[in-house]
Amino acid sequence: MRYISTRGHAPVRDFSGVLLAGLAEDGGLYVPEAWPSFSHEELRAMRGLPYAELAARVMHKFIGPAIPFATLQKLCREAYAGFGHPAVAPLVQLDTGLFVQELFHGPTLAFKDMAMQLLGRLFEHVLAEQNAQVTIVGATSGDTGSAAIEAFAGRERVNIVIMHPEGRTSAVQRRQMTTVQAPNVANIAVAGTFDDCQDLVKAMFADVPFRKELHLSAVNSINWARVAAQVPYYIYAALALGAPDRDVAFSVPTGNFGNVLAAWVARRIGLPVARLVTGSNRNDILARFFDHNDMSMQPVEPSLSPSMDIQVSSNFERLLFELLDRDAAATALTMTDFRMSGRMAVPDAAWHRARQTFHGFRLSDEGTLAEIRRLQERTGYLAEPHSMIGIAGGVAHPAGHGVPMVAMATAHPAKFPDAMEQATGARPPLPARLGDLYERTERFSRSPNELPAIQALVRATVLRNAA
Ligand SMILES: *Cc1c(COP(=O)(O)O)cnc(C)c1O
């Protein structure tokens, strides 16, 4: 299985190569050179499989011979064994034709675990094969950092350093990162904002001698392996609801466009998906795009669904590449022009094609709180703000009679206790396995917002573990 860049000027790589590389050298994103496909017969044959077994079969299509199937099966079994629900990603019915798929039963209670738990094991396997090691650096405003730390803690050949803006993440989110005691994990609280942390990551990658010395790597949401590892749960849900002998639809609360892109990929490789709804909060660039081809940047405003407080959805470039008939030069031009002008010029024909599948939905904070309350009153189901936007989007844009709508629940309500209290008057308790989070010991360094200070901390972590 070979991968090419959406901008056409990066080396062609196999799956292991794109796993370790993350971003392509030309600034583009890796996509399969040719899409694999599942026949209806192959899809039917996966009905009723346990999640990990299904995941191995789906990932095998994207990995090809780079990892033997039996090895992949073992990695998938291990990745999902620690989830807090035996079905891993269970479906819950809310109404006739309306379902929620719970993606939050992993160790950090958010859907990022679905991909990251597998990525940690894929990294370890590939690095062992290549007798190599890497230092993963990342910046987080919340869920990504903790999912990455949980996935890479204690893994051989990997050091992981995650920066968070001091005082600007929730206590649950910070403690999920800083209470992990594995020696290969380092947390840095930076005196600055999330954007400062992201700039520090970019600056470390741009410092080529430093990048080479420490073998820097990243697991941000543009890593193809993360997208691929999110495809299986769409297939799992659809098969349970009658696919491929029946169409299904998905509604996905969306930030960087990674999760909903995985749903699109599932459709592209053969799953009969009638509709995809993207959910946004007041940061509604995607809703504006799907509504009237207006992809224009506006300042990011904080909301009750912070993982969707994003203006530029980085994974959108992969869809754009397809909408432009895989024209890499046109994709590169459109993206550089977007960065400069703040407005993406998508040809009308391409936009119409996108609209055949995608519908945008937006919900304000007030609307989200009201919907959380209403859903709880009607069904007893507790949805946190991100998930609620997904559910409400599914209700607003049904795909038609007899087509089940599956909304993605991307976080456990206990991860957003303040919003839940505002909506319902009660703070949801943490699941038992995380119940002692507030008693665990925290461990992190503090740093000014200065590149040399951060680089010294990263180097010290790596040297300490090499000793
Ligand atoms: C990351 C995240 C999202 C957004 O997912 P994308 O793949 O960036 O679109 C939505 N909800 C929660 C809870 C998240 O952590």
Side-chain angles (χ1 to χ4, degrees), residues 169-458:
T169 58
S170 78
V172 178
Q173 288 174 325
R174 188 192 69 245
R175 287 190 153 268
Q176 281 187 321
M177 298 190 282
T178 58
T179 61
V180 174
Q181 299 297 336
N184 71 327
V185 172
N187 280 283
I188 306 176
V190 177
T193 63
F194 172 59
D195 286 338
D196 294 331
C197 295
Q198 275 202 310
D199 288 345
L200 288 164
V201 172
K202 282 187 201 143
M204 280 193 270
F205 273 91
D207 180 345
V208 175
F210 182 78
R211 182 171 89 195
K212 290 202 167 138
E213 176 199 338
L214 295 171
H215 307 283
L216 291 192
S217 185
V219 290
N220 45 20
S221 79
I222 45 92
N223 191 306
W224 167 258
R226 273 183 69 182
V227 175
Q230 291 167 177
V231 174
Y233 50 75
Y234 289 102
I235 298 181
Y236 186 64
L239 292 180
L241 295 171
D245 303 299
R246 184 199 204 190
D247 282 3
V248 293
F250 295 105
S251 178
V252 189
T254 308
N256 262 321
F257 207 75
N259 200 1
V260 72
L261 183 81
W264 180 87
V265 171
R267 180 177 187 275
R268 182 67 187 74
I269 65 175
L271 196 70
V273 177
R275 173 168 293 188
L276 294 172
V277 182
T278 63
S280 304
N281 55 38
R282 73 177 69 156
N283 301 291
D284 63 349
I285 186 167
L286 284 170
R288 282 184 283 118
F289 172 68
F290 291 121
D291 277 358
H292 43 267
N293 199 358
D294 170 21
M295 179 85 87
S296 55
M297 289 187 219
Q298 286 176 2
V300 177
E301 296 193 36
S303 77
L304 292 176
S305 40
S307 298
M308 290 150 60
D309 292 346
I310 282 172
Q311 268 309 317
V312 179
S313 301
S314 41
N315 270 297
F316 183 81
E317 181 167 341
R318 290 189 164 108
L319 180 66
L320 179 71
F321 180 65
E322 301 292 334
L323 295 174
L324 298 176
D325 293 320
R326 302 200 132 212
D327 181 337
T331 305
L333 201 66
T334 306
M335 291 307 298
T336 44
D337 179 63
F338 178 46
R339 286 284 165 189
M340 276 175 3
S341 70
R343 190 167 188 288
M344 191 185 293
V346 178
D348 266 344
W351 174 71
H352 278 293
R353 211 171 315 145
R355 293 238 305 174
Q356 287 170 7
T357 306
F358 287 94
H359 287 250
F361 173 77
R362 80 174 70 71
L363 195 59
S364 66
D365 278 356
E366 300 69 45
T368 304
L369 291 173
E371 291 291 336
I372 291 172
R373 199 174 311 122
R374 212 164 73 93
L375 182 68
Q376 192 199 17
E377 281 165 8
R378 289 183 60 224
T379 67
Y381 193 78
L382 268 191
E384 54 74 43
H386 306 78
S387 308
M388 189 64 242
I389 292 174
I391 296 166
V395 172
H397 293 285
H401 190 68
V403 181
M405 174 63 75
V406 187
M408 296 294 137
T410 51
H412 190 287
K415 263 202 122 155
F416 298 94
D418 297 337
M420 295 312 292
E421 187 170 22
Q422 266 190 70
T424 68
R427 296 173 79 79
L430 283 167
R433 62 210 156 89
L434 274 169
D436 66 342
L437 187 66
Y438 285 91
E439 281 92 66
R440 295 181 196 166
T441 311
E442 288 193 82
R443 188 171 61 88
F444 62 93
S445 315
R446 288 195 171 82
S447 173
N449 174 19
E450 285 161 15
L451 184 62
I454 300 285
Q455 287 180 317
L457 285 169
V458 174

Side-chain angles (χ1 to χ4, degrees), residues 107-144:
T108 72
L109 309 181
F111 94 95
K112 307 281 192 300
D113 292 325
M114 296 294 303
M116 213 66 97
Q117 282 294 312
L118 184 55
L119 242 68
R121 286 158 175 94
L122 288 169
F123 260 77
E124 196 170 55
H125 172 79
V126 169
L127 290 170
E129 292 257 288
Q130 302 183 356
N131 190 23
Q133 45 197 29
V134 293
T135 306
I136 291 173
V137 293
T140 193
S141 58
D143 294 336
T144 305

Side-chain angles (χ1 to χ4, degrees), residues 6-20:
T6 50
R7 300 196 191 179
H9 290 287
V12 173
R13 291 193 155 98
D14 71 355
F15 182 86
S16 306
V18 300
L19 174 75
L20 300 183

